[in-house]
């Protein structure tokens, strides 16, 4: 408000000076020089003030324009980040699928790739849901594997989905061998993310670090598939068996894709 009043005062003074000057153009003295002397500083101030107001006005519009541009740039950056994230996910998926394909070719078996769509890691059951079912040849009893080792076994199959019982589930059992010594036993789920090597005679030599593989004698899991590594061995003072803990080779928490080994009749 003060600024507006000042501008009006300067304008009135300027008009007064111009009026006095124009009324006596031939006079070299009198009121005109005095008016000019008095109003010249005000004219200078008015010009500077108007210039300042003009610069603020343009600056305001520049700021508004810059803010809009920044908003648009932020939107474009967010879109580019989302696209980059999508590309990274595709790249990672492509790498995992290549790994599965290489593993499938190395094993020379009829396998179907499936995506993990759900997990159940309750106190009672440890299972996965995959997006392949009977329409893809998936059936109850088929083994499920990844390059790291055996995941589990199909226990239910619908038209488009199947449920897989993990080897860490207490209801799971796989006939296995200690790979280097060929000591035989049964790998059972421990229920807490671990497994137990059951029925190992206390006289058998089993040490931490030894690899456990499937024996192929249970009629479910093919021979030679990796299951885990011996993590602990305890022998009690009595009994004919020793207690052997096995750390699974598969990290079940991060599983996203698996391979289902088809039954021979499924490939016909």
């Amino acid at each position: 408000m003060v600024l507006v009043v000042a501008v009006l005062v300067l304008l009135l003074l300027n008009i007064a000076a111009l009026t006095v000057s124009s009324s006596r153009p031939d006079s070299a003295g009198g009121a005109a020089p005095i008016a000019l002397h008095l109003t010249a500083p005000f004219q200078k101030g008015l010009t500077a003030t108007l210039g300042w107001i003009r610069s603020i006005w343009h600056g305001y519009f520049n700021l508004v324009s810059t803010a809009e541009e920044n908003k648009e740039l932020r939107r474009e950056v967010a879109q580019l980040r989302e696209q980059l994230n999508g590309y990274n996910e595709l790249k990672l998926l492509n790498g995992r699928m290549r790994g599965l394909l290489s593993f499938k070719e190395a094993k020379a078996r009829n396998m179907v790739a499936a995506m993990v769509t759900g997990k159940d890691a309750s106190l009672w059951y440890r299972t996965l849901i995959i997006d392949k079912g009977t329409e893809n040849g998936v059936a109850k009893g088929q083994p499920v594997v990844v390059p790291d080792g055996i995941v589990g076994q199909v226990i239910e199959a619908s038209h488009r989905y199947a449920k897989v019982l993990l080897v860490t589930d207490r209801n799971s059992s796989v006939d296995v061998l200690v790979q280097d010594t060929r000591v035989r036993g049964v790998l059972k789920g421990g229920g807490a993310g671990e497994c137990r090597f059951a029925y190992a005679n206390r006289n058998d030599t089993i040490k931490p670090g030894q690899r456990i593989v499937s024996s192929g004698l249970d009629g479910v899991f093919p021979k030679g598939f990796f299951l885990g590594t011996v993590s602990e061995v305890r022998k009690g003072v009595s009994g004919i068996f020793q207690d052997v803990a096995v750390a699974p080779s598969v990290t079940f928490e991060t599983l996203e894709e698996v391979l289902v080994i088809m039954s021979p009749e499924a490939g016909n």
Side-chain angles (χ1 to χ4, degrees):
M1 186 64 182
V2 175
L3 180 60
V4 173
V5 172
V7 171
L8 291 175
V9 171
L10 289 173
L11 285 173
L12 291 174
L13 288 172
N14 191 43
I15 292 171
L18 290 174
T19 302
V20 172
S21 177
S22 61
S23 64
R24 300 185 64 183
D26 56 342
S27 176
I34 297 174
L36 179 62
H37 178 74
L38 292 174
T39 59
F42 291 101
Q43 285 181 315
K44 182 178 179 181
L46 177 61
T47 302
T49 301
L50 291 175
W52 177 68
I53 294 173
R54 188 182 300 110
S55 65
I56 291 178
W57 188 254
H58 288 301
Y60 169 76
F61 279 105
N62 287 335
L63 286 174
V64 171
S65 178
T66 301
E68 289 296 327
E69 290 177 0
N70 287 340
K71 184 177 180 181
E72 181 63 26
L73 286 173
R74 285 195 296 269
R75 184 161 45 244
E76 291 179 1
V77 169
Q79 291 175 349
L80 289 173
R81 284 177 176 171
E82 185 177 353
Q83 291 177 2
L84 179 60
N85 184 64
Y87 293 148
N88 288 336
E89 283 296 311
L90 287 175
K91 183 179 179 180
L92 292 172
L93 174 60
N94 183 56
R96 294 195 301 269
M97 295 306 292
R98 284 180 180 273
L100 290 179
L101 180 60
S102 298
F103 176 74
K104 176 182 176 181
E105 292 175 347
K107 292 296 183 180
R109 291 181 178 274
N110 182 19
M111 300 183 187
V112 169
M115 303 287 291
V116 176
T117 61
K119 299 180 180 180
D120 180 6
S122 64
L123 294 175
W124 303 106
Y125 298 102
R126 293 186 177 272
T127 61
L128 296 177
I129 303 297
I130 58 176
D131 66 348
K132 292 295 188 296
T134 54
E135 70 172 5
N136 308 105
V138 175
K140 182 179 179 179
Q142 292 172 339
V144 179
V145 298
V146 291
D148 289 336
I150 293 177
V151 174
Q153 178 183 4
V154 176
I155 56 172
E156 293 180 25
S158 65
H159 190 57
R160 294 183 179 179
Y161 296 94
K163 180 180 288 189
V164 180
L165 184 72
L166 303 182
V167 293
T168 53
D169 189 278
R170 296 182 184 277
N171 298 303
S172 173
S173 62
V174 184
D175 200 284
V176 296
L177 297 169
V178 178
Q179 191 171 41
D180 55 354
T181 64
R182 316 310 286 177
V183 172
R184 186 180 170 192
V186 175
L187 192 75
K188 291 183 170 292
E194 63 176 8
C195 297
R196 317 299 297 185
F197 189 100
Y199 311 121
N201 193 291
R202 64 180 293 108
N203 296 322
D204 292 332
T205 301
I206 302 178
K207 301 177 181 179
Q210 290 180 308
R211 291 165 59 92
I212 306 299
V213 298
S214 54
S215 69
L217 299 178
D218 52 20
V220 176
F221 299 96
K223 185 177 182 178
F225 277 76
F226 190 33
L227 281 138
T229 304
V230 175
S231 59
E232 184 182 6
V233 179
R234 291 183 297 179
K235 294 184 179 181
V237 295
S238 61
I240 61 175
F241 300 118
Q242 53 187 311
D243 185 17
V244 180
V246 176
S249 58
V250 176
T251 305
F252 299 99
E253 291 78 11
T254 59
L255 276 182
E256 295 184 60
E257 301 88 21
V258 297
L259 288 168
V260 183
I261 301 177
M262 298 288 97
S263 304
E265 58 272 14
N268 296 331

